[in-house]
Amino acid sequence: MLYGYVELENNIYCQGEASGMAFPTKLGGFNAKVHLPVLPDLKSDGIPDRLLPPLGVPIEKVDWGRVCRCPDGLFETSRLVVTFGDDVDQSSLYEAFPAWKDLVERLYAIETRGYASPSPKGGSLLRGGGFYDGLQLFDLKDKKVNIRLQGMRSVIHLELDMIGDSRSLGADGLRLLFERTGNGTQLTMVYELVLNAYRAFFSSDFRSSVMLCGSALEFAIDEVITGYYGAHGMDFYEKDAAKHRMLGGKFRWLEELEISIPVTDYHESVLDGRNAVTHDGLLPTKRAARAYLDKCRELIDLYSPSVTER
């Protein structure tokens, strides 16, 4: 069996049920499994803090992450182990890894809604040749690690204001994340905009975060209305679309078609909030921007449920 030691750029927050679990994915076209670190004994004396290595791999001097909350064991980690069968092309794995890792972090940011990382770091040149992007392939001989590629790189750790269930993923969420990543598909336009809205929020650019998420919502509404016209055999979408421009017009269109709008206060919480930023130059507070993003996501998730391209 071939192993891969993975360093993500940022921590991912996982619910205790995911401790030590394995999730199927694909890397470079090869089937693989992603293994999470293991929680320590939370019932032991003292306050357990550090995570244990996945599969008990004896990699030295690695911080596998920490316990964030007891007694349920919510934890954070940026270190994973990936396992492969024996019949794999190692060069293909290294070639495909940067895009795989980037998609993991993008999908995690979308699913947890809480934050997104700065632009990913470039790879590191290794002494003696080679390039390191956060993946080390190794096997075990006599219970010792035989590293196929040397090299380490610093990892950016991002702390959130509060870590709760909505900012972490359970077993089902992690399974879906790595399945999507393995498919190699890209984010839809809607969720590219959502991701950029989160990046702007993380950078304290709250005005841009509101504008970007409002634009994502426009695309999501277009998507659900296009589907409605197709399902009802209506061939005059373009003509009607010309009558319903801008976000306010699209909400009127939803009402005319009697498509559900679960955010009942959308006039105040979505339209007025975006107009104040876009047309009046209002600089929203962090709290106001967060509330706006959450309202938009409720509608975006309903109208555009596919995060990645089909």
Side-chain angles (χ1 to χ4, degrees):
M1 178 183 293
L2 183 65
Y3 297 78
Y5 165 66
V6 172
E7 293 185 18
L8 300 177
E9 298 290 344
N10 304 291
N11 286 335
I12 60 174
Y13 293 82
C14 308
Q15 295 169 24
E17 65 177 7
S19 166
M21 292 190 69
F23 303 97
T25 188
K26 286 189 176 182
L27 179 57
F30 297 99
N31 291 326
K33 286 187 177 180
V34 178
H35 302 263
L36 268 64
V38 179
L39 286 169
D41 182 4
L42 300 179
K43 297 180 181 179
S44 63
D45 294 336
I47 302 176
D49 183 30
R50 313 318 296 183
L51 301 181
L52 304 174
L55 303 174
V57 293
I59 302 179
E60 298 179 354
K61 298 180 181 179
V62 170
D63 181 358
W64 291 102
R66 68 183 182 90
V67 180
C68 298
R69 192 174 68 195
C70 288
D72 62 337
L74 187 145
F75 64 93
E76 64 174 343
T77 184
S78 61
R79 314 298 171 93
L80 310 168
V81 166
V82 184
T83 55
F84 307 91
D86 293 326
D87 187 20
V88 296
D89 177 10
Q90 295 182 36
S91 62
S92 295
L93 299 181
Y94 285 126
E95 187 71 24
F97 179 75
W100 183 93
K101 180 176 74 169
D102 181 61
L103 189 55
V104 167
E105 306 223 23
R106 284 168 170 254
L107 289 169
Y108 176 80
I110 290 292
E111 293 301 324
T112 58
R113 305 189 184 190
Y115 78 100
S117 67
S119 299
K121 284 184 173 183
S124 302
L125 289 173
L126 301 178
R127 180 178 298 176
F131 202 70
Y132 180 66
D133 284 297
L135 172 67
Q136 289 182 350
L137 297 178
F138 66 94
D139 53 23
L140 296 177
K141 292 184 178 180
D142 300 324
K143 297 183 179 181
K144 293 183 179 180
V145 172
N146 176 36
I147 296 291
R148 303 291 183 89
L149 179 63
Q150 300 284 353
M152 295 296 288
R153 179 172 79 177
S154 62
V155 177
I156 303 172
H157 293 270
L158 299 180
E159 297 293 337
L160 307 188
D161 295 336
M162 294 290 290
I163 306 300
D165 290 342
S166 65
R167 302 290 181 255
S168 60
L169 294 182
D172 290 341
L174 288 163
R175 184 175 293 108
L176 181 59
L177 184 150
F178 289 114
E179 179 184 327
R180 285 170 167 169
T181 305
N183 291 337
T185 53
Q186 297 301 307
L187 298 180
T188 64
M189 173 64 77
V190 170
Y191 287 96
E192 283 284 2
L193 287 168
V194 170
L195 180 62
N196 285 326
Y198 286 151
R199 284 176 170 161
F201 182 89
F202 173 81
S203 301
S204 299
D205 185 358
F206 304 129
R207 177 182 289 146
S208 293
S209 70
V210 167
M211 295 172 65
L212 287 163
C213 209
S215 296
L217 179 55
E218 286 191 49
F219 278 102
I221 293 175
D222 283 340
E223 183 177 323
V224 74
I225 291 177
T226 300
Y228 179 94
Y229 273 60
H232 290 80
M234 302 161 66
D235 59 1
F236 42 88
Y237 171 83
E238 295 297 337
K239 181 180 178 181
D240 285 354
K243 303 175 185 176
H244 301 88
R245 299 187 182 278
M246 310 298 289
L247 189 56
K250 295 184 188 300
F251 273 108
R252 287 195 300 273
W253 202 0
L254 290 172
E255 291 176 338
E256 292 167 9
L257 298 174
E258 298 183 347
I259 295 176
S260 174
I261 306 175
V263 177
T264 56
D265 66 340
Y266 72 85
H267 278 286
E268 297 79 19
S269 62
V270 177
L271 291 178
D272 290 350
R274 189 179 188 226
N275 288 338
V277 169
T278 304
H279 303 300
D280 301 333
L282 176 71
L283 182 62
T285 63
K286 181 178 182 179
R287 180 180 298 231
R290 165 68 73 190
Y292 186 86
L293 265 60
D294 287 344
K295 290 283 187 179
C296 285
R297 272 303 297 271
E298 184 176 349
L299 294 169
I300 289 169
D301 289 349
L302 175 65
Y303 298 148
S304 182
S306 295
V307 175
T308 55
E309 299 285 358
R310 297 174 182 175

